[in-house]
Amino acid sequence: MANMGSRKHLKRFKAPKNWSIHPKENKWTVKPSAGPHAIEDSLSLLIVVRDILSLADTAREAKRIINTGKILIDGRISKDYKFPVGFMDIIEIPDTNETYRVLPDAKGRLTLHVIPKENAEFKLCKVSNKTTIEEGKNQLNLHDGRNLLTEEDISVGDVINLKVPEQEITESFSFEEGATVLVTAGKHTGEIGKINEIVVNKSSNPNTIVVENSKKDTFVTLRDYAFVIGKDKAIISLPGGK
């Protein structure tokens, strides 16, 4: 029994730091299954239902809610209580008419940000890899595990506005100077600003960018930490009305 538990559960104090749960409440938490998001970048759906949204007091109650199809992720019903919920995912609860987007807070913890219902029709996805295939089409590998085919000229690092659940690309935002970005990791996690400069290092050091926030202060962060959320301004609502 101990071995079975270790595959499905984690002791709370060993949970990733970006999980917004209290390490001293209960002994065990639920480990996300393999899926679109890595374990360190996601929360199991059960944790979302029980510990973050407080829709259930126990794991059994949370499983029952999930199993009856009352939770939608990116427009589709999910009945897997271990489903990995991660950055930019859209969570809908039709029974309560509530809709959320998963975003990081200033401490890097995954949080659920309330959004208008009409915003549930799209999500932003970052292109993590790109492969050119036959007939001039490109296969885009997205940050949430999706793979899409397109004839559009979209580069690695760019972000697409994806209509869900149809998975249709409605627009794209280039990773370029002037783009509005959300910092998703590092000491500036959760900060919003515009790219002032893209610094390409000729050494083995990672590339960086210079970001200017709304107060006209600038800071440097890794290129990989920046997620484009619009051109002149953010197209999604953000915590704190940013």
Side-chain angles (χ1 to χ4, degrees), residues 210-230:
V210 179
V211 178
E212 180 181 286
N213 62 23
S214 60
K215 297 179 180 179
K216 302 301 180 181
D217 296 325
T218 60
F219 60 87
V220 177
T221 189
L222 295 183
R223 175 176 178 145
D224 289 346
Y225 290 172
F227 191 105
V228 180
I229 55 174

Side-chain angles (χ1 to χ4, degrees), residues 1-173:
M1 292 296 290
N3 289 336
M4 289 181 64
S6 64
R7 289 198 298 269
K8 296 181 180 179
H9 301 84
L10 287 173
K11 287 188 176 181
R12 286 199 168 219
F13 72 88
K14 291 184 178 180
K17 292 182 179 180
N18 64 352
W19 289 16
S20 51
I21 59 176
H22 197 290
K24 294 184 179 180
E25 290 180 2
N26 300 320
K27 185 177 181 180
W28 297 97
T29 186
V30 179
K31 181 179 180 180
S33 58
H37 299 282
I39 182 173
E40 64 270 15
D41 298 322
S42 62
L43 297 161
S44 68
L45 185 54
L46 186 145
I47 293 299
V48 171
V49 170
R50 184 189 66 184
D51 300 301
I52 299 180
L53 295 178
S54 300
L55 298 177
D57 294 325
T58 66
R60 179 176 294 181
E61 291 176 1
K63 289 178 183 179
R64 183 162 56 246
I65 291 171
I66 294 167
N67 195 49
T68 52
K70 295 182 180 295
I71 310 293
L72 280 70
I73 301 175
D74 295 341
R76 298 184 185 278
I77 292 174
S78 177
K79 295 185 177 181
D80 178 7
Y81 72 92
K82 293 186 292 180
F83 184 88
V85 178
F87 177 61
M88 284 294 173
D89 284 352
I90 303 296
I91 299 176
E92 293 180 82
I93 310 170
D95 284 359
T96 60
N97 201 32
E98 294 173 309
T99 309
Y100 305 87
R101 190 184 305 277
V102 181
L103 295 170
D105 65 11
K107 295 183 179 180
R109 299 171 301 187
L110 294 175
T111 59
L112 271 61
H113 173 59
V114 178
I115 60 173
K117 186 171 178 58
E118 56 268 23
N119 282 188
E121 298 175 356
F122 73 91
K123 73 177 294 189
L124 299 182
C125 295
K126 184 176 183 178
V127 179
S128 57
N129 196 18
K130 172 183 175 180
T131 304
T132 301
I133 59 176
E134 295 180 3
E135 300 179 357
K137 290 187 177 181
N138 299 312
Q139 176 176 292
L140 305 180
N141 305 121
L142 307 180
H143 85 276
D144 66 349
R146 300 172 196 262
N147 298 310
L148 296 180
L149 293 179
T150 181
E151 295 180 353
E152 297 185 42
D153 183 19
I154 300 174
S155 302
V156 172
D158 292 350
V159 167
I160 62 172
N161 188 339
L162 190 68
K163 185 178 181 181
V164 290
E166 294 85 354
Q167 298 203 110
E168 297 175 1
I169 299 174
T170 60
E171 60 184 328
S172 63
F173 302 98

Side-chain angles (χ1 to χ4, degrees), residues 174-211:
S174 299
F175 187 93
E176 61 185 5
E177 292 181 4
T180 301
V181 296
L182 167 65
V183 180
T184 61
K187 65 179 182 179
H188 294 286
T189 299
E191 292 196 42
I192 311 296
K194 290 184 178 292
I195 300 177
N196 261 3
E197 182 183 1
I198 299 173
V199 181
V200 179
N201 291 312
K202 296 181 180 180
S203 65
S204 59
N205 293 325
N207 294 331
T208 60
I209 61 171
V210 179
V211 178

